[in-house]
């Protein structure tokens, strides 16, 4: 009979325990990966449906909040902010609310000839696209060109205005987060 030292026996027991833990963790990992894949697929379809519905919503209703799948995995439920959330195109750049632009646009009631007067930001964006021609640009690039890239609120105001201009067919969305001057 071979004599095994207590120390060697403890190492053997520990190794067996770790192998059992490893097998259990591998099964749990596979289950979580399947669940994440299902949630990610569902998230994508909900996000696309929400984007389609937002295009049909009146201008006065702000878009509902959304997060990217990576944000959903990384955040605890308590960290989700109750503020407005970007559309699918805005989500890529981390966009948000455009209250600043709405305040600027609301200030112009109309001209003497009865035509609608647009806010300063709207006019600046339209002038930018008039100069940009047939070039695809991101909201962040527009904000930078207008000197409005100092904080997220200013960039978000540009994004909100761009989305509104897309809804009015004054600017075209040509890709995820990409905009181009509307054809005239």
């Amino acid at each position: 009979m071979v004599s095994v030292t207590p120390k060697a026996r403890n190492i053997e027991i520990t190794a067996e325990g770790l192998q059992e833990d490893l097998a259990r963790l591998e099964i749990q990992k596979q289950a979580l990966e399947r669940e994440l894949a299902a949630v990610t697929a569902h998230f994508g379809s909900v996000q696309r449906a929400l984007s389609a519905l937002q295009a049909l919503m009146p201008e006065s209703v702000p878009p509902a909040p959304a997060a990217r799948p990576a944000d959903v995995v990384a955040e605890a439920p308590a960290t989700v902010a109750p503020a407005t959330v970007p559309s699918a195109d805005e989500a890529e750049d981390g966009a948000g609310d455009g209250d600043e632009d709405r305040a600027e646009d609301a200030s112009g009631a109309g001209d003497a000839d009865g035509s609608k007067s647009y806010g300063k930001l709207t006019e600046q964006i339209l002038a930018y696209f008039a100069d940009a021609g047939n070039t695809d640009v991101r909201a962040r690039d527009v904000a930078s060109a207008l000197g409005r890239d100092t904080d997220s609120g200013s960039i978000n105001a540009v994004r909100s205005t761009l989305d509104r201009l897309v809804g009015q067919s004054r600017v075209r969305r040509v890709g995820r987060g990409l905009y181009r001057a509307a054809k005239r």
Side-chain angles (χ1 to χ4, degrees), residues 15-25:
E16 288 173 0
L18 288 173
Q19 285 178 332
E20 290 171 6
D21 284 345
L22 184 61
R24 181 183 50 78
L25 290 171

Side-chain angles (χ1 to χ4, degrees), residues 32-46 69 72-73:
L32 289 171
E33 287 172 343
R34 283 190 303 272
E35 186 177 353
L36 177 60
V39 167
T40 301
H42 183 65
F43 176 85
S45 47
V46 168
V72 173
V73 173

Side-chain angles (χ1 to χ4, degrees), residues 93-97 100 139-140 143-144 147-159:
D93 293 329
D97 191 12
E100 177 184 332
R140 189 172 300 276
S144 179
R148 290 180 169 261
D149 59 347
T150 56
D151 60 75
S152 62
S154 295
I155 295 170
N156 290 339
V158 170
R159 285 191 182 98

Side-chain angles (χ1 to χ4, degrees), residues 18-130:
L18 288 173
Q19 285 178 332
E20 290 171 6
D21 284 345
L22 184 61
R24 181 183 50 78
L25 290 171
E26 181 63 33
I27 292 168
Q28 186 177 11
K29 176 185 171 201
Q30 290 171 355
L32 289 171
E33 287 172 343
R34 283 190 303 272
E35 186 177 353
L36 177 60
V39 167
T40 301
H42 183 65
F43 176 85
S45 47
V46 168
Q47 192 175 37
R48 285 187 299 277
L50 180 60
S51 293
L53 289 174
Q54 285 175 341
L56 301 174
M57 292 171 54
E59 183 179 322
S60 62
V61 178
R68 292 178 288 183
D71 296 339
V72 173
V73 173
E75 290 183 348
T79 63
V80 175
T84 60
V85 177
S87 68
D89 290 332
E90 293 172 338
E92 179 180 73
D93 293 329
D97 191 12
D99 290 336
E100 177 184 332
D101 180 52
R102 276 191 276 277
E104 288 180 11
D105 280 353
S107 66
D111 292 340
D113 65 357
S115 65
K116 179 169 171 44
S117 172
Y118 293 96
K120 181 180 172 186
L121 179 57
T122 300
E123 293 300 328
Q124 289 174 334
I125 290 174
L126 290 173
Y128 174 84
F129 276 102

